[in-house]
Amino acid sequence: MYGELLRSDQSRSPEERLRPQLLRSDCPVLLSQRLVLRAPHEEDIDALSHLANNANIATMVSRMPHPYTAKDAADFVRRTKTGEIGKCVYAITRGDNGAFLGCCGLEPHPEDDTTLEIGYWLGEPHWNKGYATEAAHALIDMAFRTRDIDQIDARCRVTNVASRRVIQKCGFQFQGSGMIGCLALGGMVPVEWFRLDRKTWMSLKSWGDMR
């Protein structure tokens, strides 16, 4: 059934696929050079479960189970709709054909309403193509332009060289290290903590110079 839904969505025009998301005024659809960032929906379940069912991804993020099933994907989509996961959760999709590539999002700091935290992951077939940096740029720009925040935080495992590179290319500065839980590994893992403040973002708005 999920495959039929996905094929049905791919047969629709880009305008038709985007139209339902325009209602999310607090988390608008984001367009970049190659990508469309929009709310996850049921038509993503097949692709989401296929790409997320990868230990190379699950062990690098905090809250992704492994193995990752279609049921997990359906639950994820449901919880994004009800606001149980972060404030703005996006599906990262290609602008030319609507293909689902991964997810990114922002969530509020539990003790500081002037700080958001960014997170992202891409399916392994889409690594090393600049998609994560492009999606992060779009999300960061939206956050600083539409939210009354002072800074955005990002964390990555100390072994995640690719994610650290994305974070640094977006202008984040190293703040320190610590430990965070990893659901897939069933324990704590060491992470590095980075921060991008509004003043630095304003000086780096010409993202083309950062690539």
Side-chain angles (χ1 to χ4, degrees), residues 105-112 114-120 136 139-140 143-144 149-156 167 170 172-176 192-198:
L106 296 165
E107 51 180 71
H109 191 284
E111 300 174 357
D112 182 1
T114 68
T115 302
L116 294 175
E117 182 159 348
I118 189 172
Y120 50 84
L139 197 55
I140 290 164
F144 278 122
I149 58 169
D150 295 331
Q151 59 259 328
I152 299 173
D153 285 353
R155 302 175 199 273
C156 69
I167 290 168
C170 290
F172 286 77
Q173 302 297 311
F174 178 75
Q175 302 294 310
E192 295 176 338
W193 164 39
F194 298 82
R195 173 166 285 178
L196 176 64
D197 60 45
R198 181 177 288 276

Side-chain angles (χ1 to χ4, degrees), residues 44-62:
D44 299 320
I45 288 172
D46 257 2
L48 170 58
S49 58
H50 172 69
L51 293 176
N53 188 31
N54 184 337
N56 292 331
I57 297 171
T59 57
M60 291 296 169
V61 299
S62 60

